């Protein structure tokens, strides 16, 4: 009986402590409200629709009136010819984007850190971060100007040197290279700025001591710069791992221009779901694919964080 009363007293103290924390940080707490409402309205309430994945959805019957089919939608997808193709493309591109993004971002951040001229530094930062603010629609048109089969800039250059032009939108093999390059061009600016900010927090005395000891620039990068970036690299990698199974729809839809001949190397889960929703005939199957996508993403984030926690607890996300 005494233990129960003690637990009740502790709960009361905790409630009072939480209320006191909320009251003392009232302005900051109020600022959370828009974010909470955003996720509540656009993320949590729509989760009711996941039951469509277990139903033979019919528009005239609605979500609740449609017939339950269990895991039939999942079975249909995983036994289809499309499953291997879109899973391979989604995961493959996701891994390439993570590795290529980290290498390019860290490299550029280190190069920016070595620039001492403030005007040049601001110029490079501005020009590199600008593509981040362009929509994928605009980037798609820029890419088309470069790759247009007849009058495209790239084909014009090839023909100028006596080579034959390439019909890029009829050859799936080239897009394994084109898509990662376009993605890096658009995203590397913002990523390298984050790494650059982390570099600014390194104590300059470490570099001065290394210089006095005769360490070259490469050794300073290897033993001071990169180890200082490892915590940020780890956190960003964990977050990106959760998005491996969720590709960038804008990239994979607008850049290849949804050309059917390119599906072997450009079709991912998100574009597959979009086409299914356009026709309106496979809503149950596309919902099942979307649910599977979200579940795998969650599992990968938790598993990656657990692995990191085992190896280096201080670098884990949670």
């Amino acid at each position: 009986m005494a233990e129960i009363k003690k637990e009740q007293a502790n709960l009361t103290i905790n409630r009072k402590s939480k209320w006191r924390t909320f009251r003392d940080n009232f302005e900051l707490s109020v600022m959370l409200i828009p974010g909470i409402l955003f996720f509540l309205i656009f993320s949590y309430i729509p989760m009711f629709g996941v039951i469509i994945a277990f139903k033979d959805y019919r528009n005239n019957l609605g979500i609740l009136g449609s017939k339950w089919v269990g895991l039939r939608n999942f079975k249909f997808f995983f036994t289809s010819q499309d499953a291997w193709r879109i899973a391979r493309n989604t995961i493959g591109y996701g891994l390439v984007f993570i590795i290529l993004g980290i290498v390019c971002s860290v490299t550029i951040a280190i190069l920016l850190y070595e620039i001492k001229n403030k005007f040049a530094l601001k110029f490079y930062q501005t020009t590199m971060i600008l593509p981040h603010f362009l929509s994928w629609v605009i980037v798609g048109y820029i890419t088309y100007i470069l790759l247009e089969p007849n009058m495209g800039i790239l084909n014009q250059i090839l023909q100028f040197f006596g080579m034959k032009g390439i019909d890029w939108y009829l050859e799936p093999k080239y897009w394994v290279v084109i898509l990662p390059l376009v993605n890096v061009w658009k995203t590397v600016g913002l990523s390298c700025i984050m790494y650059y900010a982390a570099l600014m927090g390194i104590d300059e005395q470490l570099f001065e001591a290394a210089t006095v000891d005769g360490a070259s620039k490469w050794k300073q990068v290897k033993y001071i710069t990169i180890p200082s970036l490892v915590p940020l690299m780890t956190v960003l990698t964990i977050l990106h791992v959760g998005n491996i199974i969720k590709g960038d729809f804008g990239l994979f839809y607008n850049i290849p221009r949804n050309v059917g001949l390119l599906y072997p190397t450009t079709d991912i889960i998100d574009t597959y779901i979009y086409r299914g929703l356009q026709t309106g005939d496979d809503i149950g199957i596309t919902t099942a694919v979307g649910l599977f996508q979200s579940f795998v993403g969650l599992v990968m984030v938790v598993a990656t964080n657990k692995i990191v926690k085992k190896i280096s607890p201080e670098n884990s996300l949670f």
Side-chain angles (χ1 to χ4, degrees):
M1 193 69 179
E3 291 181 358
I4 294 175
K5 289 183 178 180
K6 187 177 180 179
E7 288 180 3
Q8 290 176 345
N10 289 334
L11 288 173
T12 303
I13 293 172
N14 288 335
R15 290 194 190 101
K16 289 181 178 179
S17 177
K18 289 178 180 178
W19 168 248
R20 190 178 298 110
T21 302
F22 176 82
R23 184 187 61 194
D24 294 342
N25 301 277
F26 179 75
E27 294 81 2
L28 295 176
S29 301
V30 170
M31 290 175 65
L32 290 173
I33 294 176
I36 294 173
L37 290 176
F38 174 83
F39 285 106
L40 182 65
I41 296 172
F42 295 102
S43 297
Y44 287 96
I45 294 178
M47 287 179 67
F48 170 75
V50 300
I51 64 174
I52 298 176
F54 306 96
K55 289 197 168 195
D56 182 14
Y57 180 77
R58 292 291 180 266
N59 290 324
N60 59 328
L61 298 176
I63 296 177
L64 297 178
S66 298
K67 180 183 176 182
W68 288 94
V69 294
L71 299 176
R72 192 179 75 182
N73 290 326
F74 294 90
K75 183 179 178 181
F76 180 85
F77 168 71
F78 288 117
T79 55
S80 68
Q81 296 178 348
D82 299 327
W84 163 245
R85 184 190 73 223
I86 65 175
R88 178 200 63 198
N89 290 343
T90 305
I91 297 174
Y93 279 119
L95 290 172
V96 171
F97 290 168
I98 289 176
I99 297 171
L100 197 60
I102 290 176
V103 172
C104 293
S105 299
V106 171
T107 302
I108 294 174
I110 293 173
L111 293 175
L112 289 176
Y113 187 71
E114 296 298 324
I115 298 175
K116 304 305 179 185
N117 187 302
K118 291 186 178 181
F119 177 80
L121 179 62
K122 294 297 181 183
F123 174 76
Y124 291 133
Q125 288 178 333
T126 303
T127 52
M128 283 190 297
I129 203 172
L130 181 61
H132 173 77
F133 298 101
L134 299 178
S135 70
W136 280 117
V137 176
I138 296 175
V139 177
Y141 280 111
I142 294 173
T143 307
Y144 186 71
I145 292 172
L146 293 172
L147 303 178
E148 202 276 329
N150 298 317
M151 300 299 294
I153 296 174
L154 197 53
N155 276 344
Q156 292 290 325
I157 295 174
L158 292 176
Q159 292 170 7
F160 177 79
F161 288 102
M163 292 181 282
K164 187 179 179 181
I166 300 172
D167 199 337
W168 305 97
Y169 292 93
L170 295 180
E171 297 288 344
K173 61 183 179 180
Y174 296 115
W175 292 87
V176 180
V177 177
I178 294 172
L179 290 174
L181 287 178
V182 174
N183 182 72
V184 168
W185 175 78
K186 190 175 188 299
T187 60
V188 73
L190 184 63
S191 299
C192 77
I193 293 300
M194 289 189 287
Y195 287 113
Y196 178 78
L199 289 176
M200 295 298 291
I202 302 176
D203 191 349
E204 285 288 341
Q205 293 182 354
L206 294 175
F207 294 105
E208 293 173 1
T211 303
V212 171
D213 291 339
S216 63
K217 282 291 182 182
W218 166 244
K219 288 187 176 181
Q220 291 179 28
V221 169
K222 184 178 179 181
Y223 295 107
I224 299 177
T225 304
I226 293 179
S228 300
L229 295 177
V230 167
L232 179 60
M233 292 166 62
T234 304
V235 172
L236 292 179
T237 301
I238 293 173
L239 294 175
H240 290 322
V241 163
N243 290 326
I244 282 181
I245 198 69
K246 179 176 171 51
D248 192 327
F249 173 79
L251 169 65
F252 289 94
Y253 184 80
N254 289 291
I255 305 304
R257 304 179 70 83
N258 197 31
V259 177
L261 290 173
L262 303 180
Y263 285 167
T265 56
T266 63
D267 197 19
I268 61 169
I269 292 178
D270 291 78
T271 53
Y272 177 84
I273 293 173
Y274 178 75
R275 290 199 306 275
L277 293 175
Q278 272 189 317
T279 59
D281 298 328
D282 301 320
I283 294 179
I285 297 173
T286 52
T287 306
V289 176
L291 180 59
F292 169 75
Q293 181 185 39
S294 301
F295 176 75
V296 172
L298 173 64
V299 170
M300 294 183 75
V301 168
V302 174
T304 305
N305 185 78
K306 193 168 184 179
I307 293 172
V308 173
K309 201 168 185 177
K310 288 280 187 182
I311 300 172
S312 179
E314 67 274 6
N315 292 329
S316 62
L317 183 60
F318 51 86

